[in-house]
Amino acid sequence: RGVYAVSRLQMLMRPAAPVALASITSSVNSSFVQIRFDDVLFHENCGGGSFGTDEHGLKIQQAAEAAGKDPLSFCTDVSERFRRLFAQCNISYTDFIRTSDPVHQRAVERFWTVLLDKGLIYKGTYEGWYSTQDESFLTPLQVADALDSSGKDIKISLESGHKVEWMKEENYMFRLSAFHSQLLDWLRGNPRAIQPERFRQDVLQWLQEEQPDLSVSRQRSSLRWGIPVPGDPEQTIYVWLDALVNYLTVAGYPDGHQRWWNSVNHVIGKDILKFHAIYWPAFLLGAGLPPPRAISVHSHWTVGGRKMSKSVGNVVDPVEKSQRFTTDGLRCSSSSTPSSPTRWAAC
């Protein structure tokens, strides 16, 4: 028995091969487990796991403004493109969840309230570096000096290369520091919790340092497109807490998730490993729930040795490739190793 939930799809790009990779990998794994156990799904009906779109956050708000659309209309247009991609590539799913769905908002509000009632969320002040592109808070050791395209001095994230800005806000904080030992115990006691092994070692290395408490809200004046903090309309719930709860939403949280949650598997990209392997398990432990049974991590697709990037223009169109090589051909190449004869690879 297994439950497969693929990581959220980015809203700022048209569907491209990196998006299809996690989806196809999850679909292939789901199909394999279904053949063996015939009980792989979130519900009784047939399908291939959970897919969907992560729609809230400052960068979505800014992109919608640039497109001259309200955020919901902007997200609806992009979300439909992914639905069409899945249909064209014969990727099935049990649930296609949008984080703007009302059922998801109710799940997030309940999850927040549980953490708050347990004393794990408190009002505080966050001061530090923030990457809007990554929707990520960064420590000084994760930031470096750089020059932008005009030659201006800026700070960037060492991990992603995206620009970061200094911010100071009165926000709600999550007591992440209280879960350091529990996270280490979980990883050391479950050698297959994160696969491949090198990614588990990455997380263990991160946890060699104490984790500071995490800001889990933004002021509503700066971030309007998101779920308001229950009882405090001046604050918006941090996009990653919001987005990660979608895995619970599709499992029926807060009332119907018990049957499936102990069997949950995540399929994610390596660039969001910290959110899934540190923040998410800590949130779950705080709410009295077990971490995922397994987190399967895939690497980036490359073309000519470079990561696929919309800005670079080296993306592969999965629809065009599926039409050229057939859907099964695309699935085969997506599941192959970097040494395979395909012209793009994962590394």
Side-chain angles (χ1 to χ4, degrees):
R1 177 177 301 209
V3 177
Y4 281 84
V6 72
S7 59
R8 303 302 88 196
L9 307 176
Q10 298 180 47
M11 293 297 300
L12 299 182
M13 55 190 285
R14 66 182 178 84
V19 171
L21 174 59
S23 308
I24 291 173
T25 302
S26 182
S27 181
V28 170
N29 288 341
S30 172
S31 298
F32 174 72
V33 177
Q34 188 173 357
I35 289 171
R36 293 184 60 197
F37 297 104
D38 197 31
D39 194 4
V40 66
L41 310 171
F42 285 109
H43 307 296
E44 298 290 352
N45 56 309
C46 293
S50 164
F51 299 89
T53 44
D54 174 8
E55 302 185 5
H56 291 140
L58 185 58
K59 66 179 179 181
I60 308 299
Q61 177 180 300
Q62 293 173 344
E65 291 172 352
K69 297 181 178 180
D70 68 89
L72 182 57
S73 297
F74 176 82
C75 291
T76 298
D77 291 343
V78 178
S79 185
E80 286 304 313
R81 296 179 201 171
F82 287 112
R83 286 181 182 268
R84 290 194 294 270
L85 168 66
F86 290 166
Q88 290 169 316
C89 292
N90 293 329
I91 297 174
S92 61
Y93 47 82
T94 306
D95 288 278
F96 189 100
I97 181 173
R98 299 176 55 185
T99 56
S100 59
D101 289 340
V103 65
H104 175 68
Q105 178 168 339
R106 291 192 293 271
V108 172
E109 291 170 343
R110 175 65 177 272
F111 193 79
W112 175 281
T113 301
V114 169
L115 296 178
L116 183 68
D117 289 347
K118 288 177 175 284
L120 296 172
I121 291 178
Y122 64 94
K123 199 71 172 286
T125 298
Y126 173 80
E127 183 174 7
W129 297 105
Y130 186 77
S131 168
T132 298
Q133 187 67 25
D134 302 323
E135 301 285 13
S136 178
F137 299 95
L138 302 168
T139 68
L141 295 178
Q142 296 172 305
V143 173
D145 295 318
L147 298 175
D148 65 13
S149 57
S150 65
K152 181 181 178 182
D153 291 327
I154 60 171
K155 297 285 189 180
I156 63 169
S157 164
L158 283 171
E159 183 174 351
S160 68
H162 293 143
K163 181 181 177 181
V164 300
E165 296 177 333
W166 188 264
M167 60 168 282
K168 182 178 181 180
E169 287 186 353
E170 184 182 46
N171 296 331
Y172 287 92
M173 309 291 292
F174 172 74
R175 298 187 191 278
L176 180 62
S177 58
F179 293 89
H180 187 259
S181 60
Q182 291 184 61
L183 291 172
L184 283 172
D185 290 345
W186 166 59
L187 287 174
R188 290 169 177 168
N190 296 275
R192 297 183 62 81
I194 300 175
Q195 305 171 45
E197 171 64 16
R198 66 185 178 98
F199 291 115
R200 190 176 76 95
Q201 291 300 322
D202 285 344
V203 179
L204 286 170
Q205 183 63 38
W206 293 336
L207 289 172
Q208 292 306 304
E209 299 180 3
E210 293 291 333
Q211 298 296 309
D213 288 352
L214 177 69
S215 175
V216 287
S217 74
R218 297 292 309 275
Q219 291 184 0
R220 196 74 179 174
S221 58
S222 60
L223 177 57
R224 301 179 303 279
W225 178 235
I227 299 174
V229 168
D232 189 347
E234 300 303 314
Q235 294 273 329
T236 302
I237 294 176
Y238 176 44
V239 61
W240 270 106
L241 192 156
D242 164 4
L244 288 164
V245 173
N246 85 86
Y247 298 122
L248 282 170
T249 303
V250 295
Y253 185 84
D255 301 314
H257 62 288
Q258 294 87 352
R259 177 186 177 190
W260 295 108
W261 193 250
N262 287 332
S263 302
V264 73
N265 298 267
H266 293 337
V267 180
I268 67 166
K270 69 177 184 179
D271 53 331
I272 54 176
L273 177 59
K274 181 173 292 185
F275 303 103
H276 283 78
I278 295 181
Y279 299 167
W280 183 221
F283 292 155
L284 289 167
L285 290 168
L289 296 168
R293 183 176 69 176
I295 301 174
S296 299
V297 187
H298 66 76
S299 296
H300 294 145
W301 277 19
T302 62
V303 173
R306 298 185 65 184
K307 177 186 173 182
M308 286 191 193
S309 167
K310 182 180 178 182
S311 58
V312 174
N314 62 344
V315 296
V316 172
D317 184 342
V319 175
E320 186 273 328
K321 295 302 179 184
S322 69
Q323 293 172 343
R324 180 179 178 185
F325 300 115
T326 75
T327 297
D328 286 340
L330 180 61
R331 289 174 185 267
C332 181
S333 64
S334 301
S335 303
S336 61
T337 65
S339 60
S340 66
T342 54
R343 295 187 63 185
W344 59 89
C347 70

